[in-house]
Amino acid sequence: MDEKKTNPTREQNQEASENRGRNSRRRPNPFRKNNNQNNNSQNREAKAQNSSDEKRNGGRENSQNSGRNDNRKNNGGNRSRSNQGGSRNSNRSGGRGRGSRRPKIDTTVPPEMKAAILENEEVQQARMAPWKQIDMGAKGKVRFTPLGGLGEIGGNIAVMETEKSAFIIDVGMSFPDETMHGVDILVPDFSYLHSIKDKIKGIVITHAHEDHIGAVPYLFKELKFPIYGTPLALAMIGNKFDEHGLQADKKYFNYIVKRKIYEIGDFKIEWMHMTHSIIDACSLAIQTPIGTMIHTADFKIDHTPIDGYTADLHRFAHYGAQGVLCLFSDSTNSHNPGYTKSERVVGKTFDSLFEQAQGRVIMSTFSSNAHRIFQAIERGVKHGRKICVIGRSMERNIETVRRLGYIDVDEKHFIEAHEVNKYKDSEILVVTTGSQGETMAALSRMATDEHRHIKLKPTDTVIISASAIPGNEASVSKLLNLLLKAGVTVRYKECSNIHVSGHASQEEQKLILRLVQPKFFLPVHGEYNHIAAHAKTAVSCGVDERNILLMSDGDQIEITTKYLKKVRTVKAGKRYIDNQNNKEIFADVVDDRQKLSTEGIINVVVQISTQSGQMSSKPVVTSHGLVPDREDKKFAEDIEKLLEQYLATSKIEKSANPKVIEDDIRGVIRKHILKRYKKYPIIIPTVFLV
């Protein structure tokens, strides 16, 4: 009973738990003892404990054992005190709950066994919180600012900076929604990058997907920095530079080698191989002045990838064992339980579909998914089919990965689009773009019978090996309807494993969390519901919920060894691009287009006599998108009456400014339209003073 009352280990652990849970933003614990009181209390309790042990064991413990236990206990207390500022429940793993405590050991347990149990517990606690090895006294701070990729799928770009230097992580594009008429792609607003351009030492590319590299050319037209990435990623960017007339800017390319460390400003960065739905995807280990941070980028854990190169989990474990201050991790599939299937399962589905197909096979997928394309080509060759690649991005990407040696298919198996009709239908495989229902993509043009070389036949089998990107569901549905009307056999979601995601599900997210065991966690890449779900997964893996922040684009997060907090919001947003000419469409133009599509337009041309102050002739009134044609005449009469009432109460002089009169007329008509039609059309009055 005496031991339970005066157990110094339990007292010390409770105190350490309280200390670890405290950071600069929290109120101090009013019940906390000062250090002198704690030290005196621990000494008194340690003496009482030794006396109690000696009495209970009949003096069986010699002075050497007693001293060893004293040192062990005191060292444990010192370790606890040295790690103040940590997470209170960071060691909750294993079901221990908040403020992990030492186990309650029966008093009859032999002292040697008890000592081993307590020492093992200390080892376990250290293993489950390796970040405590970080120097918590390190001065400085790192700021992380996402400018895209949060609150959305795609458009990924972020900035990491110290007081002296900064670097950019990816520069991706995203897709417009149905309200952005005439807009092909969206690129991030680069305003914040302009404001810190003198600090930026480079651009770091994680992989070559469009939502991570698609906006690089648009940035380089404004700002130019050294750019670091794998050979494939930079080759893909190089293709874009060729299109945009930026060939000379390839001099900024720096081809990285995985597992090699590169110094970029105040940072040391290592690219770690990761599996995803594209070749050569990487995660980042970022050594900063205050500690190591890990950015997973887009990932999944595929144990049987097509090229045989599995995720470099050894490096995650290496950095995790050394202590990681903050983890940034992909949240796209955070609602999905279990594991994401291997890319290899799609090949088995292709085997079945190719065996069933009697005529031509037309396969569409993302043009960057080289392993998916390779599996389709491999099956085509196996079944004696010639390969016809159609679609600018598909042709360019396949040519690039073949040139770099990532795909090895003999040239004799490929044919041009104009050669398709020279072969039997059963000898043709068409690999094409358009899996997202893009209007100008090859598959859509085939579906509308507008493609120059490929005319669909009822014997054709169309395989769509992709899922709709959020926002593209309507376009994909429209494409499916057109294909079915053309009479072809469509293989889409109803076929098991026709597509697998490139993003991690919950169990893979947990694996990364457990390998890294970070102090702080910032979920990235996804809508708010995705990062919120990922945060819950992190809490279940032992991360203190107070050490997690949910970000939005533009939120600037300050990270130190002791705290994580939002410090301000910077300008973030989207710029609209017309892909036909690679030029920007300004926001007010897009707004006007949307207004025209939903509210309509009214044009009013009126001549006003400066002598009488009245209209010298009937006004010319036209409207579109507001009233049906049969009501045009009555609508024009209503507007004419409004103008007569306005002029009856206004004095029009020779010196009057027509622009002022036009603004007044616009206001009068707007008020009438809102009251009558509950609409806000674009109103364009034109006044001539005669």
Side-chain angles (χ1 to χ4, degrees), residues 542-657:
V543 181
D544 191 331
E545 60 189 352
R546 294 167 299 181
N547 288 348
I548 301 173
L549 281 181
L550 305 186
M551 301 178 290
S552 298
D553 288 343
D555 288 349
Q556 188 163 90
I557 308 302
E558 185 172 281
I559 306 169
T560 72
T561 56
K562 295 180 172 61
Y563 65 81
L564 178 81
K565 69 178 181 180
K566 175 183 171 182
V567 290
R568 66 168 176 153
T569 300
V570 305
K571 184 180 180 183
K574 300 298 179 187
R575 293 161 57 183
Y576 310 112
I577 302 297
D578 182 346
N579 238 5
Q580 303 307 308
N581 55 22
N582 288 328
K583 291 185 178 179
E584 181 176 358
I585 307 171
F586 291 100
D588 55 347
V589 174
V590 178
D591 291 343
D592 285 347
R593 291 176 180 177
Q594 173 60 13
K595 199 168 187 179
L596 285 170
S597 72
T598 58
E599 308 294 327
I601 184 173
I602 301 171
N603 286 291
V604 179
V605 181
V606 57
Q607 290 183 341
I608 300 175
S609 171
T610 56
Q611 295 179 348
S612 65
Q614 302 298 313
M615 290 182 289
S616 58
S617 61
K618 281 184 173 293
V620 178
V621 180
T622 58
S623 69
H624 300 278
L626 185 64
V627 297
D629 291 346
R630 64 177 180 272
E631 296 181 13
D632 281 348
K633 184 177 180 181
K634 185 177 184 310
F635 180 77
E637 292 173 352
D638 291 342
I639 298 300
E640 183 178 357
K641 290 178 183 178
L642 283 175
L643 295 176
E644 290 173 350
Q645 293 172 6
Y646 162 72
L647 293 173
T649 58
S650 303
K651 271 193 172 185
I652 307 298
E653 300 176 351
K654 289 184 179 180
S655 60
N657 187 342

Side-chain angles (χ1 to χ4, degrees), residues 327-596:
L327 171 66
F328 308 83
S329 189
D330 174 22
S331 305
T332 307
N333 274 358
S334 54
H335 288 294
N336 295 3
Y339 298 87
T340 301
K341 292 181 180 180
S342 170
E343 178 65 30
R344 199 172 289 274
V345 305
V346 179
K348 297 178 181 179
T349 301
F350 284 166
D351 280 329
S352 174
L353 297 180
F354 274 67
E355 288 172 1
Q356 297 174 34
Q358 300 299 315
R360 296 180 301 187
V361 174
I362 301 171
M363 195 282 293
S364 181
T365 188
F366 297 108
S367 63
S368 60
N369 196 340
H371 285 155
R372 182 77 50 84
I373 296 166
F374 175 70
Q375 289 191 92
I377 290 175
E378 194 177 40
R379 268 66 183 182
V381 172
K382 175 182 174 182
H383 288 82
R385 294 177 181 266
K386 292 294 183 180
I387 315 302
C388 176
V389 181
I390 298 178
R392 185 178 62 173
S393 62
M394 185 71 75
E395 293 171 11
R396 184 182 60 202
N397 289 347
I398 290 179
E399 178 188 354
T400 300
V401 296
R402 288 184 66 207
R403 186 175 76 249
L404 299 182
Y406 291 105
I407 288 181
D408 184 17
V409 180
D410 198 290
E411 187 67 32
K412 68 180 182 181
H413 297 296
F414 292 89
I415 61 172
E416 298 294 330
H418 64 83
E419 299 179 281
V420 166
N421 293 328
K422 297 179 181 179
Y423 297 86
K424 296 179 182 179
D425 288 352
S426 59
E427 297 175 348
I428 295 295
L429 166 63
V430 176
V431 179
T432 186
T433 56
S435 63
Q436 296 302 300
E438 305 97 314
T439 305
M440 298 304 296
L443 186 58
S444 290
R445 287 187 284 120
M446 294 176 198
T448 54
D449 199 28
E450 296 175 359
H451 197 275
R452 181 179 176 184
H453 299 291
I454 305 297
K455 305 296 180 183
L456 294 181
K457 304 176 182 179
T459 54
D460 291 340
T461 297
V462 176
I463 301 172
I464 300 179
S465 183
S467 60
I469 295 172
N472 288 355
E473 293 86 355
S475 298
V476 174
S477 179
K478 181 180 178 181
L479 172 64
L480 292 174
N481 291 333
L482 290 171
L483 291 171
L484 290 171
K485 285 181 180 179
V488 303
T489 299
V490 178
R491 305 295 190 184
Y492 187 43
K493 287 185 176 180
E494 74 280 359
C495 295
S496 175
N497 297 331
I498 199 169
H499 169 72
V500 295
S501 174
H503 297 273
S505 296
Q506 289 175 2
E507 294 305 313
E508 295 151 278
Q509 291 175 345
K510 290 177 184 177
L511 175 58
I512 294 298
L513 283 160
R514 285 303 191 184
L515 284 173
V516 174
Q517 301 278 34
K519 178 177 183 180
F520 299 122
F521 178 64
L522 290 172
V524 294
H525 300 177
E527 298 175 2
Y528 194 85
N529 66 89
H530 298 132
I531 64 174
H534 202 174
K536 291 181 179 178
T537 300
V539 171
S540 73
C541 289
V543 181
D544 191 331
E545 60 189 352
R546 294 167 299 181
N547 288 348
I548 301 173
L549 281 181
L550 305 186
M551 301 178 290
S552 298
D553 288 343
D555 288 349
Q556 188 163 90
I557 308 302
E558 185 172 281
I559 306 169
T560 72
T561 56
K562 295 180 172 61
Y563 65 81
L564 178 81
K565 69 178 181 180
K566 175 183 171 182
V567 290
R568 66 168 176 153
T569 300
V570 305
K571 184 180 180 183
K574 300 298 179 187
R575 293 161 57 183
Y576 310 112
I577 302 297
D578 182 346
N579 238 5
Q580 303 307 308
N581 55 22
N582 288 328
K583 291 185 178 179
E584 181 176 358
I585 307 171
F586 291 100
D588 55 347
V589 174
V590 178
D591 291 343
D592 285 347
R593 291 176 180 177
Q594 173 60 13
K595 199 168 187 179
L596 285 170

Side-chain angles (χ1 to χ4, degrees), residues 1-4 7 10 49 53 56-57 60-61 102-115 117-118:
M1 294 298 291
D2 291 339
E3 180 183 357
K4 293 182 179 178
N7 188 335
R10 186 179 297 114
Q49 173 68 27
D53 287 345
R56 184 174 59 255
N57 293 308
R60 284 177 296 175
E61 285 187 73
R102 296 195 184 268
K104 294 181 180 179
I105 304 173
D106 192 286
T107 56
T108 60
V109 171
E112 293 82 1
M113 182 183 293
K114 177 181 176 181
I117 291 171
L118 293 176

Side-chain angles (χ1 to χ4, degrees), residues 223-246:
L223 298 168
K224 302 181 192 297
F225 307 107
I227 182 167
Y228 299 80
T230 63
L232 178 63
L234 295 186
M236 296 284 198
I237 294 173
N239 291 338
K240 295 181 177 297
F241 279 14
D242 292 340
E243 291 181 2
H244 288 259
L246 299 172

Side-chain angles (χ1 to χ4, degrees), residues 91 123-134 136 270 272 284-287 291-296 312-327 510-520:
N91 296 329
V123 170
Q124 293 285 60
Q125 295 300 327
R127 180 177 67 84
M128 299 308 293
W131 56 263
K132 291 181 180 179
Q133 301 171 76
I134 298 171
M136 291 298 154
E270 176 185 338
M272 304 180 293
L284 304 173
I286 307 164
Q287 297 179 44
T292 299
M293 303 185 190
I294 300 288
H295 194 301
T296 66
D312 196 352
L313 300 180
H314 303 82
R315 297 304 288 169
F316 281 85
H318 165 76
Y319 282 107
Q322 291 184 342
V324 171
L325 184 61
C326 187
L327 171 66
K510 290 177 184 177
L511 175 58
I512 294 298
L513 283 160
R514 285 303 191 184
L515 284 173
V516 174
Q517 301 278 34
K519 178 177 183 180
F520 299 122

